Amino acid sequence: MAAKPINVLLTGFDAFEQEAINPSWEAVHALDGWRSGRATVHARQVPCVFGDAIDALARAMDELQPQLVLCIGQAGGRAEFTPERIAINIDDARTADNKGREPIDVPVVPGAPAAYFSTLPIKAMVRDLRAAGVPASVSNSAGTFVCNHIFYGLMHRIATHPVPGQRGGFIHIPYLPEQAARFPGAPSMSLETMVKALRIAVTTALAVKHDIAETGGQLH
């Protein structure tokens, strides 16, 4: 009997804050249709909007019934590919989103737990990324903007609507070089490296069921 196919959902955001592009969508879109063994990647763009981002994610998950979900977001100023450890139940916008929404100190999901941990093998992902020459580290804060918002929404859905074997989490990526050029001194990463890193992250997440215990965080 043929093994059952596996759907992998990757999401990336549309551009925001006067940017013409968002590296999360550029990298995710480049992997749409890519296959790793029995797994096929499906890329979906989500709006950088509180509420709407989680709704778009839910529709994609209903459609695809993915075994693995990786939400990707831009973290301008970071120099590394950073899988996030924890999502917190708070929206505290530093600026308005793409619809002008600017929630301050309100829960993502009222009455839900204070936080959820990623169910991705984040340490193993960092190990494999570094071994492949990609700068990477575990991040312990996804912020309080729409990235953390969708990360929390994803983990809350996985916790409250369990699907056997389903795992998920969030990864922050740096600016693309053409974005960093507008901010002298800001680090960046090429699209080629980002796509390579996502392939590694997906492959590791599919292969590693129990995370490793070793240093994977930043050194500072």
Side-chain angles (χ1 to χ4, degrees):
M1 182 180 295
K4 184 179 179 182
I6 296 171
N7 284 335
V8 175
L9 172 61
L10 298 185
T11 71
F13 287 103
D14 58 359
F16 74 106
E17 281 194 323
Q18 289 77 55
E19 294 286 338
I21 56 175
N22 191 313
S24 66
W25 175 240
E26 299 301 316
V28 164
H29 184 253
L31 279 180
D32 189 40
W34 178 69
R35 294 185 177 182
S36 177
R38 294 186 290 121
T40 301
V41 168
H42 303 268
R44 295 291 185 271
Q45 188 179 81
V46 295
C48 188
V49 178
F50 289 99
D52 292 3
I54 291 177
D55 292 343
L57 173 66
R59 289 193 297 271
M61 292 179 71
D62 288 341
E63 172 198 350
L64 297 168
Q65 297 297 305
Q67 285 294 102
L68 177 64
V69 183
L70 278 70
C71 297
I72 314 300
Q74 168 187 302
R78 291 193 189 181
E80 299 175 305
F81 197 85
T82 50
E84 296 291 347
R85 187 193 300 267
I86 190 168
I88 60 174
N89 192 12
I90 196 73
D91 289 333
D92 190 14
R94 56 179 173 75
T95 186
D97 67 15
N98 281 349
K99 281 192 175 178
R101 299 172 184 171
E102 196 171 357
I104 303 295
D105 296 338
V106 298
V108 180
V109 181
Y116 288 109
F117 286 105
S118 171
T119 52
L120 300 177
I122 56 175
K123 294 287 187 73
M125 290 163 68
V126 166
R127 174 200 62 192
D128 293 349
L129 288 161
R130 289 175 174 174
V134 178
S137 65
V138 171
S139 169
N140 294 308
S141 175
T144 55
F145 197 55
V146 187
C147 287
N148 175 77
H149 178 83
I150 197 172
F151 182 18
Y152 188 91
L154 167 63
M155 303 317 300
H156 183 68
R157 178 187 170 108
I158 289 174
T160 57
H161 298 79
V163 174
Q166 190 176 66
R167 308 168 84 187
F170 192 94
I171 300 172
H172 265 123
I173 61 178
Y175 282 140
L176 289 165
E178 54 265 47
Q179 294 177 288
R182 296 177 53 239
F183 305 100
S188 66
M189 183 177 287
S190 72
L191 181 59
E192 179 183 8
T193 300
M194 291 182 183
V195 173
K196 171 185 173 180
L198 283 179
R199 287 196 183 102
I200 294 167
V202 169
T203 300
T204 300
L206 290 170
V208 177
K209 302 306 178 185
H210 302 285
D211 205 3
I212 60 175
E214 67 178 36
T215 298
Q218 297 176 335
L219 299 179
H220 56 276

